[in-house]
Amino acid sequence: MCGIVAYVGHRNAQDVIIKGLKRLEYRGYDSAGIALLNNGLNIYKKKGKVSDLEDHITDEALRSTIGIGHTRWATHGEPNDVNAHPHYSYSRKLAIIHNGIIENYSSLKKELLKKGHEFLSETDTEVLIHFIEDIWENNNCTLDEAVRLALTRVVGAYAIVIMSNDNPDQLIAARKGSPLVIGVGQQEYFMASDATPIIEYTKDVVYLNDQEIAIIDNGQLRIKTIEDAPLTPYIQKLELELEAIEKGGFDHFMLKEIFEQPKSIKDCLRGRLDSQANRLVLGGIREYVNKMMNAERIIIVACGTSWHAGLVAEYMIEELCRIPVEVEYASEFRYRNPIIREGDVVIAISQSGETADTLAAIDLAKSKGAIIIGVCNVVGSSIARASHAGSYTHAGPEIGVASTKAFTAQLTVLSMICLIIAQKRGTITDQAFHRMLVELETIPDKVESVLELNDKIREIAYTFKDASNFLYLGRGYNFPVALEGALKLKEISYIHAEGYPAAEMKHGPIALIDEEMPVVFIATHDSSYDKIVSNIQEVKARKGRVIAVVTEGDKLIPQMAEFIIEVPAVQDGLMPIVSVVPLQLLSYHIAVMRGCNVDQPRNLAKSVTVE
Ligand code: G6P
């Protein structure tokens, strides 16, 4: 987590960096800081948001053409002014920004304390810059060599940028495990955790790889490995447009992203699916389809919302392809000595493509001979690059911390992967395959029609905005939707919410139900419809307040529920793409009514690059 930005060139570095930090705030917003060269190396930092930092420095005359900035999600040390980045070295000649964790910082710190170093903060980052300076002074080498030597002794993850008091034209950056993009402009360079702070200045970028060091000095960019082997920078063209990362008239990015779903799902299908020609192609996995269809089992690894998408995929792949599937939290998978056999297929799902646990799970599975298929949203991200093959979700940048359009795009890609394998294996009839293609093409319109219920959902939200607890219940394909609905609500409104398989409610959560408890049923017309109707009655019998997402035309549930939200009929496996949308809107409106910061909920970060 944490977002970093750096600039060197001819512009006012402060403006570029502050604007860039605002774009990266989704990565963390506990504190923010900036270092500039103006009459010496000066650091300004503040607990809180980037706007607090901005207020803090408004009176200063900060003309500098070089600088580094940081927005933090605290790992070591509480979020306060002192622990905020950048950090000075001991002599204050160097400043550093860092995204990641230095795991062996305490042993390095002990070494440095013995040498008389004093530390101002509790952070691992301050230790790292002291360590670099110590090597620099004692080895009489260049600064970039000192950085390199220091990094050979560092255990952990990092994207760092360092600037020096002595050199107004130099930035040194390195990465291992945390992302770093370099923008190459005319006589100027940008560095950032993702491309959003860069796109309005240049579309030429270099993605730094793990174990690489970038040195910008006197207008030149050099890259070398941590083993000191020089590399030629590989410049790529960004395909991102500026409008994609702006709010476009919506009050919040989350609302914009919810409303973008008909388009993002269409973008995800474009060029891949043609129902008239009965054609479904995912270019990125084409060469691996045979391996996937012959897999003895498929393991899905992911975190958070992406894990919920994995659960839906499990149900669908097992039903349509008849291949056993296991869905694993990446954080558990990587540490529990799982059985992975050569030829197993691991599908890694990640919006950001940077989630540390998912990346580590991939590395583990790869080392045991598994085939890795990545389903990522961010093009060029670490997970996309670590996978053998994969399919992008093409949802466009998702900036609201709570994932919405990325989830529905993940479901769309996963259903396409499933259908391709099922067709190859002959476990789906031609008619059923064709029906699913036709259905997938209609999904964007169906989502559009759910979005038209926004006003009604806002009214429901008003009724329940002061609730302290919520239950979300679903069965079959709608069980993961219940989990996702509950997650959305707790993430952004801080209301305690739990998702449960509706029948499992009887084994515990039913004890919570009273006249105060809103219970959201996702009860669309599918094979478990009759069963879920019974579950609604069980809740009603205990005076719970029922809100039900039902299929249009349902006659029975409206007689039982206090509120109903009607969604169009959809084939079973694809229903979650539609039935989750009203739950996204419900959480959004409740959070807004409670005065919560919807796009930047407390304690969360969008891209979790620490384990
Ligand atoms: C964080 C985000 C979630 C996301 C999860 C996994 O917790 O706040 O929205 O689902 O990470 O992220 P990924 O980028 O791997 O999908």
Side-chain angles (χ1 to χ4, degrees):
M1 5 256 271
C2 303
I4 61 179
V5 191
Y7 176 76
V8 57
H10 44 80
R11 297 173 202 263
N12 183 341
Q14 181 194 353
D15 295 345
V16 175
I17 291 168
I18 294 286
K19 203 168 184 186
L21 290 179
K22 286 188 175 164
R23 298 241 165 93
L24 292 180
E25 240 181 345
Y26 72 87
R27 302 178 67 88
Y29 31 81
D30 292 337
S31 58
I34 187 167
L36 298 164
L37 258 185
N38 49 338
N39 298 323
L41 181 53
N42 292 308
I43 291 179
Y44 309 86
K45 46 193 192 174
K46 202 73 202 143
K47 178 181 175 184
K49 304 250 153 96
V50 177
S51 56
D52 297 312
L53 171 70
E54 234 183 340
D55 294 344
H56 174 60
I57 55 180
T58 38
D59 297 337
E60 313 265 352
L62 301 179
R63 184 72 209 168
S64 171
T65 54
I66 183 169
I68 57 179
H70 188 272
T71 174
R72 177 168 187 247
W73 187 88
T75 54
H76 286 80
E78 67 166 279
N80 58 25
D81 293 359
V82 176
N83 288 334
H85 298 214
H87 289 282
Y88 281 121
S89 63
Y90 192 32
S91 71
R92 295 188 154 230
K93 277 192 198 156
L94 306 176
I96 187 171
I97 47 175
H98 169 214
N99 168 27
I101 288 188
I102 307 301
E103 287 169 15
N104 60 336
Y105 85 104
S106 66
S107 61
L108 298 175
K109 192 170 182 175
K110 266 187 212 142
E111 261 181 52
L112 293 163
L113 284 169
K114 274 192 209 142
K115 292 183 175 182
H117 283 245
E118 285 162 23
F119 295 92
L120 304 173
S121 75
E122 302 153 67
T123 64
D124 51 341
T125 308
E126 191 186 10
V127 174
L128 177 60
I129 193 66
H130 278 233
F131 184 54
I132 289 170
E133 182 171 71
D134 187 62
I135 292 183
W136 191 30
E137 284 171 351
N138 291 319
N139 287 269
N140 199 16
C141 59
T142 58
L143 180 56
D144 61 270
E145 179 60 2
V147 171
R148 190 185 74 76
L149 291 171
L151 293 180
T152 57
R153 289 207 37 213
V154 158
V155 179
Y158 52 80
I160 53 169
V161 187
I162 292 164
M163 64 185 282
S164 143
N165 198 16
D166 298 341
N167 192 342
D169 298 314
Q170 187 188 56
L171 290 174
I172 299 172
R175 91 158 253 185
K176 186 180 163 225
S178 302
L180 195 71
V181 192
I182 303 169
V184 182
Q186 297 290 324
Q187 313 288 322
E188 60 181 348
Y189 290 92
F190 307 80
M191 291 177 169
S193 301
D194 73 26
T196 57
I198 299 175
I199 44 169
E200 63 192 277
Y201 308 105
T202 176
K203 296 225 156 162
D204 291 336
V205 294
V206 175
Y207 289 96
L208 206 62
N209 290 309
D210 274 352
Q211 315 263 31
E212 288 179 4
I213 299 172
I215 303 120
I216 296 166
D217 205 352
N218 265 320
Q220 298 298 316
L221 168 67
R222 279 187 296 129
I223 297 187
K224 62 181 182 181
T225 65
I226 203 160
E227 282 88 31
D228 211 15
L231 299 168
T232 309
Y234 170 54
I235 298 182
Q236 303 184 38
K237 279 268 177 245
L238 272 180
E239 283 183 11
L240 193 63
E241 295 302 330
L242 196 55
E243 304 82 71
I245 56 164
E246 290 179 340
K247 279 194 202 140
F250 285 90
D251 288 343
H252 298 96
F253 280 111
M254 183 181 177
L255 190 62
K256 176 187 176 221
E257 287 156 7
I258 292 173
F259 272 82
E260 270 173 357
Q261 289 177 109
K263 177 178 178 298
S264 52
I265 297 167
K266 252 186 220 151
D267 288 345
C268 181
L269 297 172
R270 183 167 303 119
R272 294 167 159 179
L273 183 150
D274 179 348
S275 69
Q276 278 185 354
N278 211 32
R279 201 177 66 98
L280 181 58
V281 184
L282 288 172
I285 59 162
R286 202 176 351 214
E287 286 170 18
Y288 283 81
V289 171
N290 279 341
K291 292 210 161 91
M292 291 172 85
M293 73 173 262
N294 291 320
E296 276 179 33
R297 65 176 182 153
I298 293 176
I299 303 165
I300 298 180
V301 291
C303 304
T305 290
S306 300
W307 185 80
H308 295 157
L311 285 183
V312 177
E314 174 189 24
Y315 282 33
M316 200 170 179
I317 295 172
E318 291 206 340
E319 182 183 346
L320 299 183
C321 309
R322 308 308 295 156
I323 300 175
V325 179
E326 284 160 40
V327 188
E328 299 263 4
Y329 285 114
S331 55
E332 289 296 312
F333 180 78
R334 62 181 287 199
Y335 285 119
R336 66 167 184 80
N337 196 12
I339 298 165
I340 307 163
R341 296 181 219 102
E342 199 141 323
D344 278 350
V345 168
V346 171
I347 302 181
I349 310 171
S350 175
Q351 185 286 129
S352 62
E354 302 295 345
T355 302
D357 283 323
T358 311
L359 251 178
I362 290 178
D363 287 346
L364 173 71
K366 234 177 165 179
S367 72
K368 306 217 167 176
I371 293 152
I372 316 292
I373 306 294
V375 175
C376 296
N377 193 38
V378 177
V379 175
S381 55
S382 303
I383 293 175
R385 287 187 291 158
S387 304
H388 293 111
S391 290
Y392 283 116
T393 46
H394 294 311
E398 190 180 67
I399 294 169
V401 166
S403 186
T404 52
K405 65 174 181 172
F407 178 68
T408 48
Q410 286 167 345
L411 295 180
T412 308
V413 164
L414 291 163
S415 62
M416 288 193 280
I417 292 178
C418 170
L419 288 170
I420 288 171
I421 303 174
Q423 191 193 32
K424 271 263 178 190
R425 281 172 68 86
T427 46
I428 188 169
T429 63
D430 289 347
Q431 297 91 312
F433 179 79
H434 184 66
R435 251 199 329 271
M436 290 296 263
L437 297 200
V438 173
E439 184 72 297
L440 266 168
E441 272 178 344
T442 66
I443 294 280
D445 290 341
K446 291 185 174 174
V447 169
E448 190 77 63
S449 72
V450 176
L451 294 172
E452 284 164 18
L453 304 175
N454 188 32
D455 289 342
K456 176 172 186 185
I457 296 170
R458 193 188 295 115
E459 281 168 28
I460 301 175
Y462 189 77
T463 308
F464 294 104
K465 67 180 182 2
D466 298 318
S468 317
N469 295 290
F470 258 80
L471 259 185
Y472 285 74
L473 301 175
R475 300 181 78 121
Y477 285 108
N478 281 327
F479 159 54
V481 177
L483 294 180
E484 176 60 9
L487 178 65
K488 284 290 84 78
L489 187 70
K490 63 188 146 197
E491 277 181 313
I492 61 170
S493 74
Y494 319 139
I495 295 176
H496 169 241
E498 283 193 50
Y500 248 81
E504 192 63 20
M505 164 191 75
K506 288 196 281 294
H507 302 285
I510 201 164
L512 300 170
I513 294 172
D514 59 16
E515 58 279 4
E516 302 281 303
M517 176 69 102
V519 185
V520 181
F521 276 93
I522 304 97
T524 53
H525 223 293
D526 58 20
S527 52
S528 42
Y529 178 79
D530 293 340
K531 305 277 174 211
I532 205 158
V533 168
S534 310
N535 299 138
I536 294 177
Q537 270 159 345
E538 287 154 10
V539 169
K540 285 283 293 173
R542 284 150 188 94
K543 300 201 166 47
R545 302 187 67 179
V546 174
I547 306 150
V549 177
V550 299
T551 307
E552 269 166 14
D554 190 313
K555 296 274 179 293
L556 191 56
I557 298 178
Q559 294 170 28
M560 303 180 220
E562 187 175 344
F563 292 97
I564 57 149
I565 300 168
E566 286 187 296
V567 301
V570 180
Q571 297 267 337
D572 277 13
L574 304 177
M575 181 48 106
I577 312 179
V578 174
S579 60
V580 75
V581 176
L583 308 187
Q584 298 169 342
L585 285 169
L586 184 67
S587 312
Y588 170 79
H589 290 301
I590 291 179
V592 170
M593 287 169 193
R594 289 167 72 98
C596 300
N597 186 337
V598 172
D599 284 335
Q600 295 173 346
R602 73 180 176 212
N603 301 340
L604 295 183
K606 185 144 192 79
S607 179
V608 183
T609 53
V610 293
E611 63 173 88

